[in-house]
Amino acid sequence: MKKQTKPLYGQHNTTAYLFLLPWLIGLFCLTLGPMVASLYLSMTKFNLLSSPTWTGLSNYVHIFTEDDTFRRSLGLTFYYVFLSVPLRLAFALLVAMALNKGIRALGIYRTVYYIPSLLGGSVAIAIVWRQLFEGNGLVNQFLSWFGISGPSWIAHPDYVVYTIITLSVWQFGSAMVIFLAGLKQIPADLYEASDVDGAGKIRQFFGITLPMLSPVIFFNLIMSMINSFQAFTPAYVIGDGRGGPLDATMFYTLYLYLKGFSFFDMGYASALAWIMLVIIGVFTAIVFVTSRFWVFYGDNQEGR
């Protein structure tokens, strides 16, 4: 009887770790290392010019008890996230359903609609957006054709945030492409059977499209929410880097940036960063926990 040889598990593991080595170096040196350093700095007073001085939880206590700008920036960020994310996803789904009708040159339309997602976060687009919504910008020139005198959108504290929300919604391309891929995976038999049963388009949408598309909605919701919490470039450019007018564009990330790189209070900025990390983690966990009630997988549509 031929003797069986044992597989060389140790050799296989060594090969696997060699391939993983670049990623592991990046993880420990470029991700976990800076995170641990940031956590330490969040409990110090550090101005980049002198050594950090340990202060314990004083930064966090000051943030939650005495920092009014923190509360305003956090409230503004919540408002931005809760308004821009649903609008972007709804618009992306609407366009995806329109493109899912078997139109010609689908690839061209898909590319055109995807381009804003590639360019929308750049400084150049934010500058263009600022010029569009200035007092004599293209938007007001268009409104003047109908006899409407528009305000200077970016100079008015009540309107400027909506220009940033509009820019966010305009970047619907990536979510749209994912929605379109999900729509193409829904079996046509379901719609044909519902037609036989006399279901209308609205009932098909809520009874077939949304349940079958719920895993894709779940993914897009998580990614859009995380990205919206980290919105920075439009607020920095449109608000002149100071959160103007009257802190109407003082997003949380912009306030963090100003604390760290304008006032050189790196300890305080690190504390702000960790608070934002916890906030994003909490909201992500809430979405994951509640997903069992509205996200469905497989043909049986049983909740996870």
Side-chain angles (χ1 to χ4, degrees), residues 120-127 164 167 230-239 253:
S122 66
V123 174
I125 294 298
I127 293 174
I164 301 177
L167 176 58
Q230 300 179 76
F232 172 78
T233 302
Y236 181 86
V237 174
I238 294 176
T253 51

Side-chain angles (χ1 to χ4, degrees), residues 44-116:
T44 66
K45 184 175 180 60
F46 180 44
N47 61 3
L48 293 177
L49 302 178
S50 58
S51 300
T53 303
W54 180 263
T55 58
L57 298 176
S58 62
N59 286 331
Y60 294 95
V61 173
H62 185 273
I63 289 173
F64 287 109
T65 59
E66 301 180 30
D67 194 342
D68 293 333
T69 305
F70 160 76
R71 287 187 284 271
R72 289 196 302 270
S73 65
L74 187 60
L76 178 62
T77 303
F78 281 156
Y79 184 78
Y80 170 78
V81 171
F82 294 151
L83 196 58
S84 65
V85 171
L87 287 176
R88 183 195 302 175
L89 295 185
F91 198 70
L93 179 56
L94 179 64
V95 175
M97 292 182 65
L99 294 179
N100 194 41
K101 300 299 183 181
I103 62 176
R104 295 181 179 179
L106 176 61
I108 296 177
Y109 286 105
R110 187 167 51 197
T111 301
V112 170
Y113 287 128
Y114 184 71
I115 288 176

